[in-house]
Amino acid sequence: MSLLRVLPGQRVAVIGDVGGHVDALRDELARLGVPGDGEGPLPPDLLVVQVGDLIHRGPDSAGVVALVDRQLQANPDRWIQLVGNHEAFYLRRKQFSWSERVPRGTVAVLRNWWTSGRMRPAVAIRAAGEDLLVSHAGLTRGFWADVLGAPSDVAAAADAINALAHRNSRALFKPGTMVGWRDPDHAAGPVWAAAGTEVAASWSGHELPFSQVHGHSSVYNWEAGSWNLGDDLRQAARLDDTARHVVITLPGGRLVGVDPGHGAEVRRQWRAFELPGGPVTPSGSAPS
């Protein structure tokens, strides 16, 4: 099974949605200690997990993908790239409309990552005694129970999600309320589930089998200063305004949202979510 074990003194940085802002990605990598304005080799104590949605909205999606491709080639065991719904736009039948297109060469790189297994839907991490599942949008309770069979082990859950990439992509990309203005679906898939009305709401009143980190959307609107959560969950939520993270603590673990909300303009105040640890020892490999 695929479990990344983080050793004391090492660290993992989970980077939220980049949205075509290559300068913002360079700046954050530099803050994490990557030399050459974020273009150089990863420090030996650092592993990066990026949650997907590298592209669209910002001015240089091609530049973002090129930078990440260089890192994936130079650090294949220390840069974990997850798939977002905007990458999926070029990998399968389209589930939403988007006027912007990335160059053909960039599409080819994304498809190569996907077919080679260098881009996957989920990863399991064990850090400082905590098990965490990282995916683009988060794992709803209905998807965990109905599609995955309710695994209590985080590595088994990640393996089951990753296996869907090649066995049953229709289930993996099951849409929720963010596609076609549907009603919230507490079984929406881990590429599309909405943070508040689907992921968090589905676990309200239930025990998490493990913690989660996700991007894609946020339970808090940073610009409007408003919540998209019920009162019970709001009481369990904590904001980090500097990093643009939201942590909801529930029985069994926590839900950590890391989408900084970049649009056409970059959000200047944001950071990766850092876990104690760094270079990790995989106990299994990504699905082929």
Side-chain angles (χ1 to χ4, degrees):
M1 290 186 290
S2 303
L3 178 66
L4 303 179
R5 302 177 186 272
V6 185
L7 303 176
Q10 301 174 328
R11 58 197 171 114
V12 172
V14 182
I15 297 177
D17 306 41
V18 174
H21 293 282
V22 68
D23 288 339
L25 178 58
R26 288 194 188 106
D27 289 347
E28 179 59 8
L29 290 173
R31 187 190 70 81
L32 292 167
V34 179
D37 293 327
E39 295 273 3
L42 297 184
D45 71 329
L46 176 67
L47 179 138
V48 171
V49 177
Q50 201 284 319
V51 301
D53 277 10
L54 291 168
I55 59 173
H56 292 162
R57 294 191 173 91
D60 195 359
S61 292
V64 172
V65 171
L67 188 160
V68 172
D69 192 52
R70 291 191 291 272
Q71 291 291 359
L72 280 170
Q73 293 187 49
N75 306 281
D77 296 325
R78 293 194 294 119
W79 186 292
I80 307 299
Q81 184 59 51
L82 303 185
V83 65
N85 57 296
H86 282 270
E87 285 79 37
F89 187 84
Y90 301 99
L91 304 177
R92 62 189 306 277
R93 67 175 182 84
K94 293 175 174 54
Q95 294 176 281
F96 63 106
S97 60
W98 197 262
S99 59
E100 179 186 355
R101 296 290 189 275
V102 303
R104 290 183 179 180
T106 301
V107 173
V109 172
L110 295 174
R111 289 175 175 168
N112 178 265
W113 290 354
W114 186 243
T115 57
S116 68
R118 287 192 293 168
M119 181 165 61
R120 63 183 103 169
V123 65
I125 298 174
R126 180 168 294 160
E130 182 180 25
D131 286 352
L132 304 102
L133 178 78
V134 188
S135 64
H136 177 62
L139 181 63
T140 57
R141 188 173 187 275
F143 194 94
W144 169 77
D146 300 341
V147 178
L148 304 186
S152 59
D153 180 81
V154 68
D159 284 343
I161 293 170
N162 289 334
L164 292 172
H166 302 287
R167 291 209 310 259
N168 187 359
S169 63
R170 186 173 183 178
L172 176 64
F173 295 97
K174 182 182 179 183
T177 191
M178 296 183 74
V179 177
W181 300 103
R182 301 163 181 255
D183 291 332
D185 183 350
H186 288 188
V191 178
W192 270 112
T197 58
E198 292 175 333
V199 178
S202 73
W203 290 103
S204 180
H206 301 279
E207 184 171 346
L208 287 167
F210 35 75
S211 294
Q212 296 190 47
V213 184
H214 67 83
H216 182 58
S217 61
S218 178
V219 302
Y220 187 74
N221 185 318
W222 299 96
E223 279 61 54
S226 60
W227 291 91
N228 189 23
L229 280 179
D231 290 341
D232 58 332
L233 290 169
R234 282 180 60 179
Q235 294 177 8
R238 177 177 57 82
L239 297 179
D240 184 332
D241 295 297
T242 300
R244 287 190 178 239
H245 301 156
V246 185
V247 180
I248 303 173
T249 302
L250 298 173
R254 54 182 176 160
L255 300 173
V256 182
V258 298
D259 177 17
H262 297 315
E265 300 295 327
V266 71
R267 306 305 179 201
R268 294 295 176 187
Q269 197 170 25
W270 72 286
R271 290 183 181 177
F273 178 71
E274 296 182 65
L275 292 163
V280 299
T281 303
S283 60
S285 58
S288 60

